[in-house]
Amino acid sequence: MDSLRQIATERFGDMIKTVVDLTRGIMIIDADLHSDEEAELLATGSKQQDLWGINLYPELSPVDWLEFDSMINLRPSFGNRSRNVDDPSIRERIRDVVDRLVSR
C-alpha cells in the first residue's frame, strides 16, 4: 500500500489510474491515461471486452478507495452507456481482482 501511496502522490496527488482485465485477473497501474494502460494490455493479449478503467485512492477507506470512472468504460455496444461500470456484477468482479492483487 505504501508503494501505491507513493505512486499516487507522484502522479496525480491522491489517485492512481488503473485498468483491470477480468479474464486474465490482472491490472496495470501508473499511467497518465487509462487508454495508455488499455493499449498496453491489448498489446499483451487482453481482449477489449475484458478491460475496465478504475481509479484507486490509497488514502480512502476500503469502501471508498475504488472509483469506477473512465472513458474506456463507455462502450454502448457492450451495454455500458456511461463512464462508470453500470453492471453491478462486473463492479464486483473488478473489486475481487483488485482485492486479490492489493493488500490493504
Side-chain angles (χ1 to χ4, degrees), residues 62-98:
V63 173
D64 297 324
W65 88 297
L66 204 154
E67 176 183 56
F68 303 94
D69 180 29
S70 172
M71 285 299 294
I72 72 165
N73 298 337
L74 185 57
R75 289 181 258 161
S77 61
F78 291 109
N80 203 75
R81 300 187 179 280
S82 74
R83 293 171 46 114
N84 296 313
V85 178
D86 298 336
D87 185 332
S89 68
I90 292 175
R91 287 196 302 267
E92 190 59 34
R93 290 177 61 203
I94 292 168
R95 215 177 265 288
D96 288 345
V97 170
V98 173

Side-chain angles (χ1 to χ4, degrees), residues 4 20 29 40 55 60 70-71 98 102:
L4 289 179
V20 175
I29 64 170
E40 180 70 25
N55 299 313
L60 296 182
S70 172
M71 285 299 294
V98 173
V102 178

